Amino acid sequence: MAVPAALVIVPIGMLFILSGLLVNLVQAFFYVLIRPLSKKTYRKINKVVAELLLLELIWLFDWWAGIKVELYMDSQTFEMMGKEHALLICNHRSDIDWLVGWVIAQRAGCLGSALAIMKKEAKFLPVVGWSMWFSDYVFLDRCWAKDENTLKSGFERLSDFPMPFWLALFVEGTRFTQAKLQAAQEYAASRGLPLPRNVLLPRTKGFVSAVTQMRSYVPAIYDCTVAVPSNQKPPTLLRLLRGQPAIVKLQIKRHSMQELPETPDGIAQWCKDLFVTKDAFLETYHGKDLFGTEQRQDIGRPIKSLLVVSFWSCLLVYGVVEFFLWSALLTSWEGVMIVVVALVLVTLAMQILIQSSESERSTPVEDFQQGSERERLLQK
């Protein structure tokens, strides 16, 4: 049964923002005191600390909304997940693809070391963006003249990562919408390229850079394909908060990094061919309701996220009650106004997080079209 968003944004927002600020403070403490002495030790500690925040989002996904991820992949790859470095590429279909990735990473035991290449605006998001900054995420300006060096330095930083990590790269460059699909189809038609129907055209320069720089220490590419049944609305962060269940289908195929061509042009073409195959796969699914032939794996619903949210809830309720008793804040109009302002700030922070996840607010179609043209020129 769906819950009105207004009834849950404030309490869940208070839990997430307050606990998140505590996590950020702990991350900052270890970043200043431990990282200069031992980056390896800092990363191991930060993995545990970051998970205390991310598991709240896993709880929202698993226990509050009850969203089910149907994972299809071969058993051998399933057993290897979380035990090796991997570069993940995925179609950017829904508003919460990133959260689906975190759910799978949590099942694989590498939630705190699941990283991504993001647009730079993400690091300014309240709580979660700051945590990403402390966790070796790579942030881009979407200007290749700047991003080329940013990617190179980011990949170099990861070369001595002390535990298995996943690095996610959405090579389409933006989230899927019908307007962007139309723009991609027009561009493909004008260039004599295969006409996409379910994906956008990949922008390959970042992928080429990743493979070139990381193939010596990252053994695998995980090719992820996300789909949502056509008879349901795609899940969004707002629908999660309302407790609306959904089903998300995910197929993962493992490719050895050594299978890829050596030349930049060859790597770029490999990526393009992969997305042509991915598009055909999704066309078959939507037309025949057939989601490949891989075995469905049971990923369960671990209780860890529920325990973490229970811990934070008890700690924060106790702390807030003790604070009010000590400060007598609610005994004056000034104190009441401070509380009201705090609640408004929490609501605004949650609104920012919700809006940042909405596909309609991602890269505008005009910028997407210009980006495609820039990509073509840069590949000359």
Side-chain angles (χ1 to χ4, degrees):
M1 179 179 177
V3 179
L7 297 180
V8 298
I9 284 179
V10 172
I12 291 181
M14 287 289 292
L15 174 67
F16 183 72
I17 298 298
L18 292 179
S19 62
L21 289 174
L22 289 175
V23 167
N24 292 156
L25 286 174
V26 173
Q27 288 179 301
F29 175 82
F30 286 116
Y31 185 88
V32 172
L33 294 184
I34 302 298
R35 195 176 189 276
L37 302 176
S38 173
K39 188 164 63 173
K40 178 180 179 181
T41 302
Y42 165 76
R43 283 168 160 169
K44 289 183 176 180
I45 294 172
N46 185 74
K47 177 181 184 295
V48 177
V49 176
E51 286 185 357
L52 293 176
L53 173 65
L54 300 180
L55 281 167
E56 295 182 57
L57 296 171
I58 303 298
W59 167 81
L60 193 68
F61 190 100
D62 277 342
W63 295 92
W64 179 256
I67 294 180
K68 307 296 183 184
V69 178
E70 296 182 356
L71 176 62
Y72 298 85
M73 61 192 306
D74 66 83
S75 298
Q76 183 178 2
T77 302
F78 184 66
E79 291 298 323
M80 294 180 67
M81 288 176 60
K83 300 175 183 177
E84 62 178 352
H85 297 330
L87 175 66
L88 276 68
I89 56 174
C90 185
N91 60 314
H92 209 348
R93 183 69 191 190
S94 76
D95 291 1
I96 60 165
D97 294 336
W98 49 275
L99 187 47
V100 174
W102 278 343
V103 168
I104 301 303
Q106 191 256 339
R107 306 305 202 260
C110 60
L111 175 60
S113 56
L115 315 175
I117 298 172
M118 312 274 290
K119 59 183 180 181
K120 69 176 183 180
E121 292 81 4
K123 66 183 176 182
F124 300 111
L125 292 174
V127 175
V128 66
W130 305 334
S131 182
M132 290 175 178
W133 187 86
F134 286 118
S135 301
D136 288 306
Y137 279 63
V138 181
F139 298 99
L140 301 181
D141 289 278
R142 290 188 171 181
C143 171
W144 185 247
K146 298 178 181 179
D147 293 340
E148 184 176 13
N149 290 329
T150 300
L151 286 171
K152 184 176 180 180
S153 61
F155 298 146
E156 288 176 352
R157 288 199 309 270
L158 293 175
S159 63
D160 61 350
F161 210 84
M163 68 207 82
F165 71 81
W166 291 356
L167 181 66
L169 171 61
F170 291 101
V171 295
E172 292 165 297
T174 186
R175 279 163 286 187
F176 183 97
T177 66
Q178 288 300 320
K180 292 170 188 174
L181 175 62
Q182 182 178 353
Q185 290 174 335
E186 292 172 356
Y187 178 84
S190 69
R191 302 295 167 185
L193 301 173
L195 203 66
R197 297 180 181 274
N198 305 281
V199 298
L200 305 178
L201 298 176
R203 302 181 183 183
T204 58
K205 292 191 75 67
F207 178 73
V208 170
S209 178
V211 172
T212 302
Q213 299 289 331
M214 301 174 69
R215 71 189 313 159
S216 63
Y217 62 92
V218 173
I221 294 176
Y222 290 172
D223 167 27
C224 306
T225 304
V226 176
V228 176
S230 56
N231 61 351
Q232 70 171 43
K233 294 181 178 179
T236 64
L237 189 55
L238 186 58
R239 292 190 181 114
L240 256 69
L241 289 168
R242 289 172 173 165
Q244 295 178 337
I247 294 175
V248 177
K249 292 180 178 289
L250 174 64
Q251 177 183 261
I252 300 179
K253 288 192 173 184
R254 183 186 185 276
H255 301 274
S256 171
M257 190 70 81
Q258 301 309 315
E259 296 176 4
L260 271 69
E262 295 288 339
T263 65
D265 287 345
I267 296 170
Q269 190 60 50
W270 186 92
C271 182
K272 294 174 183 177
D273 292 342
L274 186 74
F275 267 74
V276 171
T277 302
K278 193 185 297 289
D279 190 33
F281 174 86
L282 289 170
E283 186 71 15
T284 299
Y285 167 63
H286 292 302
K288 301 180 180 179
D289 197 27
L290 178 63
F291 199 71
T293 59
E294 298 289 351
Q295 179 181 353
R296 180 178 171 182
Q297 303 292 338
D298 181 15
I299 63 172
R301 187 172 63 163
I303 199 173
K304 187 176 181 179
S305 63
L306 186 60
L307 295 176
V308 166
V309 168
S310 298
F311 162 77
W312 279 123
S313 300
C314 294
L315 179 65
L316 292 175
V317 167
Y318 173 79
V320 169
V321 170
E322 288 295 315
F323 173 76
F324 281 135
L325 291 176
W326 170 77
S327 65
L329 197 63
L330 297 179
T331 60
S332 66
W333 283 108
E334 293 84 356
V336 172
M337 287 303 299
I338 291 174
V339 173
V340 170
V341 169
L343 293 176
V344 170
L345 290 175
V346 167
T347 303
L348 289 175
M350 291 298 293
Q351 188 68 21
I352 290 171
L353 292 174
I354 291 170
Q355 290 182 351
S356 71
S357 71
E358 294 174 346
S359 56
E360 289 78 6
R361 297 177 182 270
S362 58
T363 307
V365 174
E366 293 79 7
D367 293 348
F368 173 71
Q369 291 171 320
Q370 293 169 7
S372 297
E373 183 64 18
R374 286 195 300 269
E375 177 84 1
R376 181 186 69 81
L377 293 173
L378 284 166
Q379 288 178 336
K380 282 189 172 182

